[in-house]
């Protein structure tokens, strides 16, 4: 029985080429894609649905065995046409993560560093948030968590709320100041709070 693979493109009979050499069209169809073509395909697939930094894409290409010269050529081309834009990525990351997770500038900068964003671009992106915005966000986070800490003793509440802010990248001074203000507004005695946190 003649297998399908024995039939040339567009012919109605088995291939009878002398020496068994494939036609040029079949050779082209059967040849594996070159490293740049592979790199383009990988990058386009990874960029579908979510932006990525140049470093993230470079790491992915390296993991998949794409030679560095081919990877850099494709990545530079993608940057030229705007498919890779680390500055835009950093700005969008700060906007999204600050509003959705309440992360402070320090935590946002740390995340962007792990994604390979240049330090100057990180500074520009986190510069979108000023100290007042950070403090407002910290206050909102504490207000949302206050109810869950009711019933705990004063010191435990202070530490738990301040610890929550610290994990999101807020400085200790800001965290303790915001937490103490929230507890005072709830009716806690300022002197008793001062006793538990004498360094405030």
């Amino acid at each position: 029985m003649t297998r399908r693979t024995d039939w040339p493109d567009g012919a109605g009979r088995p291939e009878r080429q002398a020496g068994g050499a494939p036609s040029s069209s079949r050779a082209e169809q059967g040849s594996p894609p070159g490293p740049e073509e592979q790199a383009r395909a990988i990058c386009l697939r990874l960029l579908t649905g979510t932006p990525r930094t140049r470093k993230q894409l470079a790491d992915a290409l390296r993991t998949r065995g794409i030679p560095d010269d081919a990877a850099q050529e494709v990545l530079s081309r993608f940057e030229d046409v705007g498919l890779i834009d680390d500055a835009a990525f950093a700005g969008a990351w700060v906007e999204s993560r600050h509003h959705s997770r309440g992360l402070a500038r320090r935590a946002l900068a740390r995340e962007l560093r792990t994604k390979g964003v240049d330090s100057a671009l990180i500074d520009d992106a986190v510069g979108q948030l000023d100290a007042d915005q950070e403090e407002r966000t910290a206050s909102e986070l504490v207000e949302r968590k206050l109810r869950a800490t009711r019933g705990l003793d004063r010191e435990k509440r202070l530490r738990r709320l301040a610890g929550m802010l610290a994990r999101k990248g807020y400085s200790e001074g800001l965290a303790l100041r915001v937490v103490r203000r929230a507890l005072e507004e709830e009716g806690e005695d300022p002197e008793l709070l001062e006793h538990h946190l004498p360094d405030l």
Side-chain angles (χ1 to χ4, degrees):
M1 179 186 293
T2 302
R3 294 175 302 171
R4 186 175 181 83
T5 54
D6 291 332
W7 293 74
D9 292 340
R13 53 190 168 71
E15 187 174 5
R16 297 180 186 274
Q17 204 164 23
S23 67
S24 61
S25 62
R26 288 191 64 185
E28 287 168 9
Q29 289 174 1
S31 62
E36 286 190 15
E37 189 178 339
Q38 292 177 46
R40 279 194 298 274
I42 291 166
C43 288
L44 288 171
R45 187 166 61 249
L46 290 173
L47 288 167
T48 301
T50 181
R52 307 215 184 221
T53 66
R54 180 173 177 135
K55 181 181 184 300
Q56 287 177 304
L57 293 170
D59 289 347
L61 295 177
R62 193 173 302 112
T63 299
R64 289 163 173 79
I66 303 296
D68 279 348
D69 57 343
Q72 295 309 314
E73 175 68 25
V74 169
L75 293 173
S76 294
R77 219 174 300 149
F78 272 46
E79 274 187 329
D80 290 343
V81 298
L83 289 173
I84 301 173
D85 186 339
D86 282 3
F89 177 95
W93 186 268
V94 166
E95 176 76 15
S96 169
R97 299 283 284 175
H98 180 72
H99 290 292
S100 67
R101 299 283 308 279
L103 298 183
R105 288 175 291 187
R106 187 167 57 183
L108 293 164
R110 186 169 57 242
E111 288 186 341
L112 288 170
R113 276 194 299 274
T114 67
K115 296 183 180 301
V117 178
D118 180 78
S119 58
L121 297 179
I122 292 174
D123 290 344
D124 288 345
V126 299
Q128 296 175 36
L129 301 175
D130 60 24
D132 291 340
Q133 176 62 51
E134 267 197 331
E135 187 155 343
R136 283 194 300 273
T137 302
S139 296
E140 291 166 7
L141 289 168
V142 168
E143 285 169 18
R144 289 204 294 265
K145 291 286 185 183
L146 266 179
R147 182 177 295 177
T149 66
R150 286 181 187 144
L152 298 175
D153 65 57
R154 187 176 295 109
E155 184 175 4
K156 195 169 285 185
R157 289 187 86 190
L158 280 163
R159 297 297 179 188
R160 184 166 295 185
L161 292 167
M164 177 267 296
L165 291 179
R167 287 190 297 277
K168 291 181 179 290
Y170 293 90
S171 68
E172 183 182 29
L174 171 62
L176 294 176
R177 182 170 70 249
V178 166
V179 170
R180 183 172 71 171
R181 184 171 63 228
L183 292 176
E184 286 176 4
E185 288 172 359
E186 199 183 53
E188 286 280 3
D189 186 327
E191 289 187 10
L192 291 175
L193 291 173
E194 189 72 25
H195 170 73
H196 286 291
L197 293 168
D199 54 334
L200 285 176

